[in-house]
Amino acid sequence: AQSVTQLDSQVPVFEEAPVELRCNYSSSVSVYLFWYVQYPNQGLQLLLKYLSGSTLVKGINGFEAEFNKSQTSFHLRKPSVHISDTAEYFCAVSERGGADGLTFGKGTHLIIQP
Amino acid sequence: DTGVSQNPRHKITKRGQNVTFRCDPISEHNRLYWYRQTLGQGPEFLTYFQNEAQLEKSRLLSDRFSAERPKGSFSTLEIQRTEQGDSAMYLCASSFAGNQPQHFGDGTRLSIL
C-alpha cells in the first residue's frame, strides 16, 4: 500500500516570495502523482499531475512540481505567491496498474502574509 | 462540462438517523469515486465505480455504508444509523478513465447532533 507524507502542516510566506511545499511518498510500485488545492468549503481542484515523461511538471496558477524518483518526492513550487494562493494543498498518489483510489497526504496550509 | 455536482451541500441529522447523498459526475466520465474528509485531514478513499459496477471498497466503508450507481450516471451514498464519528465532508469525484485526474465536487458536509 502507498502512503504520502506532507512534511509541513502550515507554511507562512510573504506575498511575492517563492514557496515550496514538500511531499514524499512511499510505494512498492510505480506511481502517478497529483497536487490538489482546496479553498474553504469547496472541493479539490487539480493543480498538476505527473503520469509519465518529463519529471518537471507545470500546472495552473503558476505552480510547478518536480518528480524525483530516487528521493520519492514530488515537491510543489511557485516563484512568487499572491494573497489568492492562500489555501490548503494536498499531495496525492495512485499506483500504476493498481487500485484506483487516490491516497492523500494530510495537507499543507499555505498562508500568504501581506 | 458542468462539473461534478453534489447534493445536499450540508446535512444536519440526529444520531441514529439514515442519510443519503447524491453525486452527479461529469457526463462523459465513466469512473466515479467517493471520499471522506474529516477536519484537518486529507480525503480518504471510500469506494469507486466504473459505470454501474462497484469495483473497490475501502475498509473504511463499514456495513452501515452503501453506495450505488444504478445506471452508470449519478451515484448515491447512504449511511444507516449514523454515529458521531460519521461527521465529515463527503466528496465525490469522477474521471474519464482509470488513473486519470479526478475532478471533485464541492462535497456534502454531514453534521451529527
Side-chain angles (χ1 to χ4, degrees):
Chain A
Q2 66 268 35
S3 66
V4 176
T5 302
Q6 292 184 242
L7 298 167
D8 305 298
S9 60
Q10 195 166 283
V11 173
V13 183
F14 286 106
E15 195 173 13
E16 298 184 5
V19 68
E20 179 181 81
L21 305 183
R22 296 181 292 171
C23 172
N24 288 85
Y25 69 92
S26 172
S27 176
S28 57
V29 301
S30 296
V31 297
Y32 301 110
L33 293 156
F34 307 86
W35 274 99
Y36 284 86
V37 61
Q38 186 175 36
Y39 299 100
N41 297 314
Q42 292 186 21
L44 283 74
Q45 179 182 3
L46 180 69
L47 278 177
L48 48 78
K49 61 185 182 292
Y50 173 76
L51 303 181
S52 65
S54 173
T55 57
L56 182 62
V57 179
K58 293 190 183 296
I60 63 171
N61 300 342
F63 285 94
E64 65 179 31
E66 186 158 18
F67 170 54
N68 188 318
K69 187 175 181 180
S70 63
Q71 296 188 4
T72 61
S73 68
F74 190 55
H75 300 334
L76 180 71
R77 302 186 184 98
K78 186 170 182 178
S80 176
V81 296
H82 303 283
I83 289 287
S84 59
D85 293 323
T86 297
E88 195 80 18
Y89 291 80
F90 292 97
C91 181
V93 64
S94 65
E95 292 184 341
R96 291 174 186 263
D100 210 26
L102 293 172
T103 298
F104 285 86
K106 291 187 175 182
T108 297
H109 188 197
L110 179 60
I111 301 168
I112 310 301
Q113 301 169 327
Chain B
D1 180 355
T2 58
V4 177
S5 177
Q6 291 189 246
N7 288 288
R9 289 295 312 277
H10 304 276
K11 179 71 176 178
I12 302 173
T13 192
K14 293 182 179 180
R15 187 178 56 184
Q17 297 295 304
N18 299 343
V19 294
T20 300
F21 312 137
R22 176 178 170 126
C23 171
D24 288 88
I26 293 171
S27 58
E28 63 267 27
H29 287 181
N30 59 28
R31 298 223 173 185
L32 186 148
Y33 308 80
W34 285 99
Y35 293 83
R36 182 177 69 185
Q37 185 180 21
T38 53
L39 202 60
Q41 301 295 317
E44 297 171 293
F45 171 73
L46 293 177
T47 187
Y48 89 93
F49 294 82
Q50 178 165 311
N51 300 314
E52 65 275 10
Q54 189 172 15
L55 297 186
E56 187 185 349
K57 291 194 285 188
S58 159
R59 287 176 296 175
L60 292 174
L61 212 66
S62 75
D63 290 345
R64 297 184 297 106
F65 287 69
S66 63
E68 295 182 343
R69 194 183 182 196
K71 297 182 180 178
S73 57
F74 73 91
S75 175
T76 58
L77 178 67
E78 181 184 17
I79 309 175
Q80 295 182 326
R81 304 180 305 282
T82 52
E83 301 174 355
Q84 288 286 350
D86 296 331
S87 294
M89 174 80 87
Y90 290 84
L91 293 164
C92 176
S94 68
S95 70
F96 184 71
N99 289 316
Q100 292 300 307
Q102 296 176 22
H103 299 260
F104 283 79
D106 285 340
T108 294
R109 182 170 295 283
L110 174 64
S111 299
I112 308 297
L113 300 178

